[in-house]
Amino acid sequence: MVQSVGNMALTRVAKCCRSLVREPSKGLFCGVLQPGWTESCSGAKRHLLTEDVIKLQNFQQRKLAVAHLVSGSQVNIIEQFSEKLQRKELILRDELKLLLHLCQSTDDMMIARDAIYRYHAENRNMAYGDFKFGPLFMRLCYELGLEGLAASSITDQNMKGFFNDSTSFNIAIDMLFTKGYFENAMEVLKTMRNQGVTFNKDTVILASGTCYKLNTAESFSICTALIEEEQTKGNFIPRHAYCFAVALALKQDDIEKAQSLFSQIMSTDSRLCQNLKVMIQAMSGAVTDAINTLSAAMGPRGPSFVRKTEFSQEVVDLLRMQSEGGPHTMKVQQVVTGLEQASQVTQYTIDSMLCQTPTGKRKPAPVLEERRMSRRTLQPLQSTLLSE
């Protein structure tokens, strides 16, 4: 059952049987975001966090469970909560949990925002227990597309301590990254650092991805410093983060740094790594090495179900340009033609490969319990060979 039907603690507040009849969202709260970023920055239409990190589906299932518990009443809990805020009455923890599970529109979220501000002001010096409101509020913003509200709330100094976990910050950054608001994502990262919230592996991926998208000397410096800091601490750095850093180094024409970062990747057999490898080789003038990498990717003809490495059109075009007029021009053209004939040249860009949603953890298949009783005779089965 969905975590005991939305953590049965919610039912204690839902005994008044308040209703969940709300209007659909009427629009998006723009918050602190500035227009024009989506148009000026290419790509960034994919999430960098997987579902097992965001857990949006699980959250939506919990909302449905809570909605079922409070349905059938003629009292509107959200309007009642708004009146309670106006009367400046004390907000209880379970009441706030219930409210956050009932929000369905932008108007509801404005009430929820005022509620968490009041709750934090009243409980600033008190522990909230094991329950964290930050991720819950961020998932609500994620569900309703309110990345502006998420950014303005989590960076507000008055809310310091309310969003005291890495998950809240990671979800907010992922929202902003997906919509192309990279400067705002960087502000959230800086707030996270200033408030002493621990960076985990997901944060490192998001930070390096944001720096890559900004593509400035400052963001390049931040990206390399972050990776060096994580290495000094002995923390695990995901391959995805390294790839963002390598691509950013190439954009900044720092071939030496790109080579150094790429050499630290433990496994480089992925499509993205192989494309970055050829880019580094081409830009550094190692055309022969690039030819060898592409030739090895073609290899002998194997089983049809084994997918061979694909190379981006922009990567092979870069190699062509770097070798043009040189002694390896014909060989490069021959290898590229062979890749094209083998359908190993794709229109996916390096940017689209970098911003592709990772697969995440696979859920194990349910184990079917062995049946020990016959459905026909209701007698114990002597052997699995005799089962119907």
Side-chain angles (χ1 to χ4, degrees):
M1 208 167 188
V2 183
Q3 294 194 7
S4 300
V5 192
N7 284 341
M8 296 304 290
L10 294 176
T11 60
R12 295 196 298 270
V13 188
K15 288 180 180 178
C16 296
C17 295
R18 292 148 178 163
S19 66
L20 182 66
V21 181
R22 305 301 300 158
E23 295 180 3
S25 178
K26 298 177 181 177
L28 299 183
F29 175 78
C30 295
V32 298
L33 304 183
Q34 299 298 322
W37 260 103
T38 305
E39 291 78 14
S40 62
C41 300
S42 60
K45 300 303 180 186
R46 304 294 299 277
H47 305 289
L48 292 185
L49 297 185
T50 57
E51 173 57 28
D52 54 273
V53 176
I54 298 175
K55 297 181 179 178
L56 186 61
Q57 293 177 5
N58 179 267
F59 169 65
Q60 291 170 332
Q61 289 173 341
R62 288 168 60 95
K63 285 186 69 177
L64 287 173
V66 174
H68 175 73
L69 287 173
V70 301
S71 62
S73 174
Q74 297 179 355
V75 180
N76 191 310
I77 185 174
I78 296 184
E79 290 181 3
Q80 202 170 67
F81 209 100
S82 177
E83 294 171 0
K84 184 171 184 175
L85 286 171
Q86 293 173 8
R87 294 193 298 266
K88 298 184 178 179
E89 296 179 6
L90 184 68
I91 300 174
L92 303 178
R93 186 187 69 169
D94 285 347
E95 287 180 328
L96 182 58
K97 287 170 67 175
L98 180 61
L99 173 68
L100 294 178
H101 279 85
L102 295 178
C103 289
Q104 296 292 322
S105 70
T106 305
D107 291 340
D108 294 347
M109 287 298 292
M110 296 303 100
I111 297 173
R113 179 194 59 182
D114 294 342
I116 65 171
Y117 270 72
R118 275 280 307 281
Y119 185 84
H120 183 56
E122 294 168 354
N123 300 276
R124 189 182 301 273
N125 299 319
M126 297 176 60
Y128 299 145
D130 295 332
F131 188 84
K132 295 183 182 297
F133 284 103
L136 183 58
F137 184 80
M138 286 298 148
R139 289 184 181 110
L140 260 178
C141 292
Y142 208 111
E143 179 186 38
L144 297 174
L146 303 177
E147 64 279 350
L149 177 59
S152 61
S153 300
I154 205 167
T155 57
D156 191 336
Q157 286 300 309
N158 292 322
M159 293 299 288
K160 181 179 180 180
F162 185 84
F163 303 99
N164 59 355
D165 58 283
S166 58
T167 301
S168 296
F169 283 90
N170 289 344
I171 294 175
I173 297 166
D174 189 65
M175 270 190 282
L176 295 164
F177 183 95
T178 303
K179 296 296 180 70
Y181 297 113
F182 307 118
E183 284 188 331
N184 297 103
M186 182 59 71
E187 286 302 313
V188 174
L189 277 165
K190 290 179 179 178
T191 301
M192 187 178 182
R193 171 56 63 89
N194 293 337
Q195 293 185 4
V197 180
T198 304
F199 281 29
N200 61 18
K201 62 182 182 64
D202 295 317
T203 315
V204 176
I205 293 174
L206 291 163
S208 58
T210 300
C211 290
Y212 159 78
K213 281 295 188 177
L214 287 171
N215 189 27
T216 63
E218 181 187 8
S219 70
F220 182 41
S221 177
I222 292 172
C223 184
T224 53
L226 174 61
I227 287 182
E228 289 171 4
E229 179 183 330
E230 293 297 306
Q231 289 172 336
T232 302
K233 293 179 180 178
N235 294 337
F236 169 74
I237 300 176
R239 180 171 62 182
H240 203 165
Y242 272 124
C243 288
F244 272 125
V246 170
L248 176 56
L250 292 175
K251 279 189 169 187
Q252 291 291 310
D253 293 323
D254 193 335
I255 309 301
E256 185 177 346
K257 190 63 179 179
Q259 290 172 326
S260 174
L261 289 165
F262 188 84
S263 68
Q264 297 169 56
I265 302 176
M266 296 297 292
S267 175
T268 60
D269 56 351
S270 70
R271 178 181 67 169
L272 176 58
C273 285
Q274 288 298 298
N275 275 265
L276 289 173
K277 182 179 180 179
V278 174
M279 285 189 72
I280 293 172
Q281 292 168 337
M283 293 178 69
S284 63
V287 177
T288 303
D289 292 338
I291 292 172
N292 292 336
T293 301
L294 296 177
S295 299
M298 287 191 291
R301 183 178 296 277
S304 58
F305 56 83
V306 177
R307 188 171 184 176
K308 294 182 179 179
T309 304
E310 294 177 330
F311 292 91
S312 172
Q313 184 70 56
E314 68 174 337
V315 172
V316 297
D317 287 345
L318 173 65
L319 181 58
R320 277 173 171 154
M321 183 181 70
Q322 294 294 103
S323 64
E324 188 175 358
H328 304 293
T329 304
M330 294 298 294
K331 183 60 178 176
V332 168
Q333 185 58 45
Q334 181 183 352
V335 172
V336 171
T337 301
L339 287 171
E340 291 172 341
Q341 291 175 347
S343 299
Q344 287 181 256
V345 177
T346 177
Q347 296 305 309
Y348 280 107
T349 62
I350 294 296
D351 187 85
S352 62
M353 292 181 188
L354 281 165
C355 298
Q356 187 172 358
T357 309
T359 55
K361 298 177 182 178
R362 292 185 177 181
K363 295 182 179 180
V367 178
L368 297 178
E369 193 172 312
E370 183 180 346
R371 186 159 50 85
R372 301 182 182 277
M373 298 290 291
S374 169
R375 294 195 186 99
R376 182 172 58 84
T377 65
L378 300 180
Q379 296 299 314
L381 294 171
Q382 299 301 317
S383 168
T384 54
L385 295 175
L386 300 178
S387 61
E388 301 115 318

